[in-house]
């Protein structure tokens, strides 16, 4: 969720008084970090994942599944090992937006050794187990991005009724009591977004039209309460109306963070991973049901964008620009707006709205125009939360004002400077992935992403396409069954002049594009992942990379199973979670073919997912038998690796003598 500062939050009227002050001092803080650490080199390559779990209660007698509001109870217990022995934790835990969510990460980052890939699934499994042990009878930890009936009446336990006239979000569907209560940031964000925007957030998600879906589909929203007419003016026919930050930020995701060796490498990784964000979004799709209805989307992304959209009517272009500084094309939760490395600048084909004063300040202090553009673009936004104890800071010792704005630009990639006085390096965060129902699938996605970054850096590959095409791909990725029905802009030739001629890469080397020749074309996900006559395929590049490194047998076995899952899903041999959920609902005997996912259908779906995630039941439509050799104990493999390294050093010393 980003920066979690403790203190007393200000309301919006007070917060906006400090908006310019925080922008100015946020830039001073960034400049201090940059000047101090821009020449830092040779940080170890580290990486780690972040999983956000749901907690669900099953009422087997009444066939009802509800979200359990217990994060405030169990997080202190989950965090005890970190408080008692912070240097020796296998897992770390943090709060998230809703009281039914818990966020877990590995206790320490993974490193450069291939054997670390064999730990990922085991650590995810441990996190699930730790959460599960603290839940009560008929309560379970689940991993999926969106609870199918989030926002329906009585969707939580304990049950609460929305109060649109007095709540932070003014929502018809999402009560304030569902927001995590033990940190003031979450409720303050909710209220301040609405107050800055001068209206409720709103999104209309197209409903899936089935045989008996009413046409036109029009909900009677008056039954949910009185929100001053906001819903009646915003809702449209044949769509499901959403109106609360919690319906977006209450979704779970899978994220991966990389520490690069330098700022230049971090910027390179940020850019090269950006074209992959829609591809992974489509591969990981798991959100076809919203507020109890089947829809025409499979992913959470646009819902999140809309549910935290703090832009005013002027900034959205609905009214002439009078009181605001900019017209802003996107929400602060969005896909990446620009590449940030100088070599990538030619692919920034969309206008980037930026604060000219910030840009000037950065460039006159030695920051190149491409990175300055990125930061100046982030800083067109106002801060959304200010804590009265954290206003006047030492800009050489604190980064709260910079992170306040950087961490609330929720883009598909995030560039993360090192914290002050820390041994942590320059990092990038890969943010689009939907959360899968099993640890095996989540580990497979993480492993695929990390291996691809290794191959990109090792082979000096180039995945860049115009940023406008990335935006187009992000929209295509969210459509129903996008994996099988959509095509995506992707670069035709990934090799560069620095790419070595390995057997795999040499076989697909192509003459460098002629002037005015398009460097990319439309491809299916299957082509992008598995290759075709005209394209190498990302999996072949990864396999080529793996064949050129030393890797123990168990880890290679695990990786091969993960890559097999990715390959079969991309080809359509295995379903995405979203496609399988639709299939389950539409073949359920209680489903009336009217687009409604009833309590009974949702209960059976989630109970089935619980059994699958625990390994009690198989799901051959989605994944093969999960039999990886994942383990938390890699000491033997590390010892072997160290011994081999010592032998190599000894041989080198002998040759030098």
């Amino acid at each position: 969720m980003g920066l979690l500062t403790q203190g007393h939050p200000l309301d919006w009227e007070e917060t906006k008084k400090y908006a310019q002050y925080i922008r100015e001092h946020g830039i001073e803080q960034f400049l201090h970090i940059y000047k101090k650490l821009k020449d830092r080199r040779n940080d170890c390559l580290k990486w780690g994942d972040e999983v956000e779990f749901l907690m669900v209660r099953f009422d087997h007698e009444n066939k009802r599944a509800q979200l359990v509001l217990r994060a405030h109870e169990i997080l202190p217990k989950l965090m005890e090992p970190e408080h008692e022995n912070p240097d020796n934790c296998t897992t770390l835990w943090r709060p998230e937006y809703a009281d039914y969510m818990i966020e877990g990460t590995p206790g320490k980052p993974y490193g450069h050794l291939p054997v670390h890939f064999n730990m990922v699934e085991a650590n995810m499994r441990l996190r699930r187990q730790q959460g599960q042990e603290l839940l009560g009878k008929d309560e379970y930890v689940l991993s999926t991005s969106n609870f199918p009936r989030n926002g329906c009446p009585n969707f939580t336990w304990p049950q609460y009724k929305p109060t649109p006239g007095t709540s932070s979000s003014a929502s018809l569907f999402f009560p304030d009591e569902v927001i995590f209560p033990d940190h003031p940031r979450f409720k303050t964000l909710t209220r301040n977004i609405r107050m800055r925007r001068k209206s409720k957030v709103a999104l209309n998600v197209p409903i899936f039209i089935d045989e008996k879906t009413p046409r036109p589909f029009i909900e009677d929203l008056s039954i949910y309460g009185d929100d001053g007419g906001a819903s009646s003016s915003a809702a449209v026919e044949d769509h499901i109306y959403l109106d609360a930050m919690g319906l977006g930020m209450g979704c779970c995701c899978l994220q991966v963070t990389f520490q690069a060796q330098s700022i230049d490498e971090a910027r390179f990784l940020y850019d090269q991973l950006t074209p992959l964000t829609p591809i992974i979004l489509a591969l990981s799709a798991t959100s076809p049901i919203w507020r109890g209805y089947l829809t025409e989307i499979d992913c959470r992304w646009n819902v999140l964008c809309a549910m935290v959209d703090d832009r005013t009517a002027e900034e959205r272009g609905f009214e002439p620009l009078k009181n605001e500084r900019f017209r802003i094309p996107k929400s602060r939760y969005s896909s990446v707006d620009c590449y940030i490395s100088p070599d990538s600048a030619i692919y920034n084909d969309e206008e980037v709205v930026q604060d000219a004063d910030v840009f000037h300040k950065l460039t006159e202090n030695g920051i190149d125009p491409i990175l300055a553009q990125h930061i100046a673009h982030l800083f067109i936004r106002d801060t959304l939360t200010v804590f009265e104890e954290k206003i006047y800071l030492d800009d050489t010792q604190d980064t709260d004002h910079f992170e306040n704005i950087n961490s609330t630009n929720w883009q598909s990639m995030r560039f993360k400077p090192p914290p002050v006085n820390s041994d942590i390096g320059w990092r990038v965060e890969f943010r689009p992935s939907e959360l899968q129902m099993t640890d095996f699938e989540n580990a497979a996605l993480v492993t695929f992403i990390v291996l691809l970054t290794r191959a990109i850096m090792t082979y000096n590959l180039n995945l860049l396409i115009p940023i406008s095409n990335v935006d187009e791909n992000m929209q295509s990725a969210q459509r129903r069954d996008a994996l099988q029905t959509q095509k995506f802009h992707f670069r035709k030739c990934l090799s560069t002049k620095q790419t070595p001629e390995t057997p795999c890469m040499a076989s697909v080397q192509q003459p460098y594009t002629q002037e005015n020749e398009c460097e990319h074309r439309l491809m299916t996900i299957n082509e992008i992942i598995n290759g075709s006559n005209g394209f190498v395929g990302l999996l072949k590049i990864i396999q080529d990379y793996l064949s050129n490194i030393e890797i123990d047998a168990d880890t290679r076995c695990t990786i091969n199973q993960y890559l097999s899952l990715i390959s079969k899903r991309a080809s359509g041999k295995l379903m995405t979670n979203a496609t399988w959920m639709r299939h389950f609902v539409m073949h359920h005997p209680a489903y009336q073919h009217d687009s409604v996912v009833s309590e009974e259908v949702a209960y059976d779906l989630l109970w089935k997912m619980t059994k699958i995630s625990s390994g009690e039941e198989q799901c051959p439509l989605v994944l093969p038998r999960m039999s990886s050799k994942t383990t938390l104990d890699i000491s033997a493999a590390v010892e072997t690796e160290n011994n081999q390294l010592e032998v190599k050093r000894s041989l080198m010393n002998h040759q030098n003598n």
Side-chain angles (χ1 to χ4, degrees), residues 166-199:
T166 59
S167 66
S168 299
S169 62
S171 172
L172 294 175
F173 315 114
F174 200 89
D176 264 9
E177 290 85 354
V178 182
I179 302 172
F180 183 74
D182 287 0
H183 197 289
R185 179 180 192 248
F186 303 112
K187 197 172 288 188
T188 303
L189 265 176
T190 305
R191 186 178 297 278
N192 285 358
I193 284 174
R194 179 170 60 86
M195 297 304 292
R196 187 191 186 282
R197 178 186 167 96
K198 300 183 177 69
S199 65

Side-chain angles (χ1 to χ4, degrees), residues 40-101:
R40 179 171 170 168
R41 296 286 187 275
N42 301 317
D43 279 323
C44 295
L45 178 63
K46 295 180 180 178
W47 55 279
D49 68 87
E50 174 186 308
V51 175
E52 299 164 355
F53 294 102
L54 299 174
M55 296 180 292
V56 178
R57 171 184 180 266
F58 289 93
D59 178 349
H60 297 297
E61 182 178 351
N62 295 302
K63 288 209 156 196
R64 174 184 295 170
Q66 296 166 296
L67 291 164
V68 181
L69 305 182
R70 292 193 57 197
H72 67 282
E73 294 177 29
I74 72 169
L75 273 170
K77 297 175 184 176
L78 288 169
M79 297 169 75
E80 281 178 5
E82 179 186 357
H83 295 149
E84 293 170 0
N85 190 1
D87 295 326
N88 191 29
C89 297
T90 51
T91 60
L92 299 175
W93 294 92
R94 296 291 181 267
E96 256 299 335
Y97 179 85
D99 203 22
Y100 55 75
M101 302 168 73

